[in-house]
Amino acid sequence: MCRNIRPLFNFEPPATDEEVFAAALQYVRKVSNQRKPSGKNLITFDQAVEQIASITRRLVDSLETQSPPKNREQEAAKARARSAVRFGRV
């Protein structure tokens, strides 16, 4: 599940709120071991996702680096190439 969480810092354009929310959702799913919580846990689950997303947004927005921002398309292409080598599709 957590393989879907992608780095969010130092990209151009910056991470969107949707990307931050998706990372928070994946994290809470992993930690709680629940993909779709039921009744009693639904409110707690949703609150945790919102809080993690808020904290993540603050973190990503406050980090500093001297490195130039990465290009999303180039990083995605590198990841696809690594995956092809890893799974023997080269």
Side-chain angles (χ1 to χ4, degrees):
M1 230 186 288
C2 283
R3 293 176 196 228
N4 294 332
I5 297 177
R6 303 287 180 231
L8 300 174
F9 174 63
N10 198 28
F11 279 97
E12 189 58 45
T16 64
D17 289 339
E18 291 78 24
E19 290 171 314
V20 170
F21 182 84
L25 178 60
Q26 287 297 321
Y27 175 79
V28 173
R29 284 177 173 171
K30 183 66 170 188
V31 170
S32 68
N33 196 31
Q34 295 184 11
R35 180 156 171 72
K36 290 188 175 185
S38 61
K40 288 183 180 179
N41 295 328
L42 186 58
I43 292 172
T44 303
F45 185 92
D46 289 344
Q47 287 174 342
V49 172
E50 290 297 327
Q51 290 173 355
I52 298 289
S54 174
I55 292 166
T56 301
R57 171 52 67 195
R58 280 198 318 252
L59 172 67
V60 170
D61 289 348
S62 65
L63 291 172
E64 298 179 12
T65 184
Q66 303 260 338
S67 301
K70 299 174 193 165
N71 179 285
R72 290 182 184 282
E73 289 76 28
Q74 290 174 349
E75 294 301 314
K78 289 179 196 177
R80 285 190 297 274
R82 285 191 303 270
S83 178
V85 170
R86 181 177 178 197
F87 295 107
R89 295 183 223 140
V90 177

